[in-house]
Amino acid sequence: MLGLCKAQPHYPLDSVDILAIDSLPYLRAWLEKNPQAGCTLEKAVKRKEWSDLSIDQRNEYIDAVVCLQGQPALMSSQAPGAKSRYDDYVAVHIQQTPRNHMSTFFLPWHRYFVWHYEHALRTECNYTGYQPYWNWDRYAKDPVNSPLFDGSEGSMGSNGVFEPHDGVQIPGYPMPPGDGGGCVTNGPFKDMVVNLGPVAPSLKVQPNPQSDGLGYNPRCLRRDINKYAAAVTTANYTYDLITNNHQIYWFQTVMEGQPQLKKWGVHTGGHYTVSGDPAGDFYVSPGDPMFWLHHAMIDRVWWIWQMQDLETRLAQVSMTKTMMNIPPSENGTLDDLSGLGLLAEDVKVRELMSTMGGLGGKFCYLYE
């Protein structure tokens, strides 16, 4: 036993944690048939849940994020509003959202995106850990008072101050407002400046000087921590997502949400649990540092789903190459290229499918 998903006593294992543990023998058997040079269960990096990190480990992660926000941007020629290395990642997400959501590339591209961000924290800001994830179920009943959002030492900050607002009024996803909506005034990101966007805001935010959202538009980080959105991220939803959807098309469709049916997915629910600006903006959401913990959990859920049938699911992609097939495009394949713009080279999708040996062996990680 590798100790994966070993939670602190006040967070007992949920059904998804247990499923992950029970699935590890499948991964071990697959690796015995398909050895990956230098990547074994024992050698793989272990990404941990936020509350399973010590306070010192959480603070080290936060310090690395703040460090990245203080480094000069590489993307300023394409995104004049990008002022830091952190903004580089926001800019790339804005640029590539129409290609990498509700399309073939959603899951593999975000796997690459999160890994590259983790790599930047480690190589540019001396971070010695790995990207933590946010187990939605642990905090779903009371997210604002969780170790993520209570504003205490070792948290990712707090809710925003209360400002009257209408909540999320995106077609298909009406949601009552929470008790925030204003600037975050507590925690490590209380002085953070959001520079890019908005593109598709869920709050009334000063418009960007460029129609593409890539101009300079400095403002405070705003959050509206929302228990109504969190209610669709409990373990039963995630467990059903993994166990009841055997084809990648349905797994991804249910995960991302079905606005035409007014059905939320855990992807949508996680983003709007944070909500505000920029977390509530489909394009600019990486501008809130919570994005990375949320999408690490998205990647974890995909990893658990893949382990149920590795021979098939490590090679299973679906959908077309454009968001909701607008404009119409051909179906994507494992041989299509996916990259991070100026930040990282294009690679074939097949290189992003496995956490154990993908990206030429650079991917070698599990979720603990």
Side-chain angles (χ1 to χ4, degrees):
M1 178 60 64
L2 295 176
L4 296 186
C5 298
K6 183 179 180 181
Q8 296 177 356
H10 58 290
Y11 291 116
L13 297 178
D14 62 43
S15 58
V16 178
D17 297 331
I18 294 169
L19 181 60
I21 293 170
D22 290 346
S23 302
L24 286 172
Y26 307 147
L27 182 56
R28 186 180 293 279
W30 182 83
L31 287 168
E32 289 174 355
K33 293 180 180 179
N34 304 274
Q36 305 296 305
C39 186
T40 66
L41 289 182
E42 289 70 28
K43 293 181 180 179
V45 163
K46 312 301 190 297
R47 290 181 176 174
K48 298 177 181 291
E49 209 281 332
W50 184 251
S51 61
D52 290 338
L53 299 175
S54 69
I55 297 294
D56 287 345
Q57 289 171 326
R58 294 183 216 171
N59 286 336
E60 185 195 3
Y61 176 78
I62 291 166
D63 288 346
V65 174
V66 173
C67 164
L68 203 65
Q69 292 175 342
Q71 304 301 312
L74 302 176
M75 291 281 293
S76 54
S77 62
Q78 293 186 7
K83 302 301 180 182
S84 71
R85 286 285 289 116
Y86 188 91
D87 288 343
D88 288 340
Y89 289 92
V90 184
V92 167
H93 194 270
I94 292 172
Q95 290 175 327
Q96 297 202 23
T97 283
R99 184 176 191 265
N100 295 323
H101 295 79
M102 298 183 180
S103 74
T104 303
F105 306 107
F106 173 68
L107 291 165
W109 184 86
H110 280 88
R111 176 168 283 172
Y112 194 12
F113 192 48
V114 173
W115 175 86
H116 197 276
Y117 176 78
E118 173 189 74
H119 183 69
L121 295 179
R122 289 175 53 79
T123 58
E124 299 177 41
C125 288
N126 301 313
Y127 180 49
T128 62
Y130 297 92
Q131 178 59 49
Y133 68 94
W134 162 19
N135 183 339
W136 309 305
D137 183 78
R138 291 190 178 187
Y139 321 116
K141 291 182 179 179
D142 190 16
V144 75
N145 291 310
S146 72
L148 286 169
F149 301 117
D150 65 6
S152 65
E153 183 182 9
S155 75
M156 289 291 289
S158 66
N159 200 5
V161 298
F162 176 71
E163 288 186 4
H165 60 288
D166 297 329
V168 175
Q169 300 301 317
I170 296 174
Y173 294 126
M175 181 183 71
D179 295 324
C183 297
V184 171
T185 58
N186 294 302
F189 303 111
K190 61 183 177 62
D191 297 319
M192 178 180 163
V193 178
V194 178
N195 293 319
L196 295 163
V199 177
S202 59
L203 293 177
K204 293 179 180 179
V205 182
Q206 61 194 46
N208 194 279
Q210 294 186 193
S211 60
D212 59 8
L214 295 173
Y216 184 46
N217 190 26
R219 58 200 187 278
C220 70
L221 174 68
R222 298 169 69 185
R223 286 177 177 163
D224 184 38
I225 308 301
N226 196 298
K227 65 181 181 181
Y228 302 104
V232 303
T233 66
T234 51
N236 57 299
Y237 287 101
T238 306
Y239 184 86
D240 289 348
L241 168 67
I242 295 169
T243 58
N244 290 340
N245 297 283
H246 305 296
Q247 298 297 317
I248 187 62
Y249 173 83
W250 285 111
F251 174 74
Q252 184 178 326
T253 296
V254 174
M255 171 184 272
E256 289 196 81
Q258 300 166 275
Q260 70 277 15
L261 300 178
K262 296 186 178 180
K263 289 186 176 181
W264 287 57
V266 293
H267 174 247
T268 308
H271 277 297
Y272 290 132
T273 296
V274 185
S275 202
D277 172 51
D281 189 315
F282 192 47
Y283 291 75
V284 197
S285 52
D288 189 312
M290 274 305 304
F291 172 94
W292 306 98
L293 280 74
H294 174 50
H295 265 276
M297 180 62 174
I298 291 290
D299 188 62
R300 177 187 183 234
V301 173
W302 184 30
W303 171 72
I304 298 170
W305 182 84
Q306 287 181 308
M307 284 196 292
Q308 308 312 302
D309 184 1
L310 286 156
E311 294 291 345
T312 298
R313 296 181 182 184
L314 287 176
Q316 198 175 98
V317 295
S318 184
M319 301 188 181
T320 67
K321 298 181 183 182
T322 48
M323 182 167 62
M324 300 181 71
N325 198 32
I326 301 172
S329 59
E330 61 188 356
N331 289 333
T333 72
L334 292 171
D335 290 321
D336 284 315
L337 296 176
S338 188
L340 305 178
L342 291 179
L343 301 185
E345 65 182 352
D346 288 352
V347 298
K348 289 184 177 180
V349 168
R350 68 175 67 253
E351 281 295 312
L352 307 174
M353 296 296 290
S354 176
T355 71
M356 302 291 289
L359 198 62
K362 293 178 181 178
F363 288 176
C364 185
Y365 66 88
L366 305 170
Y367 287 94
E368 190 170 62

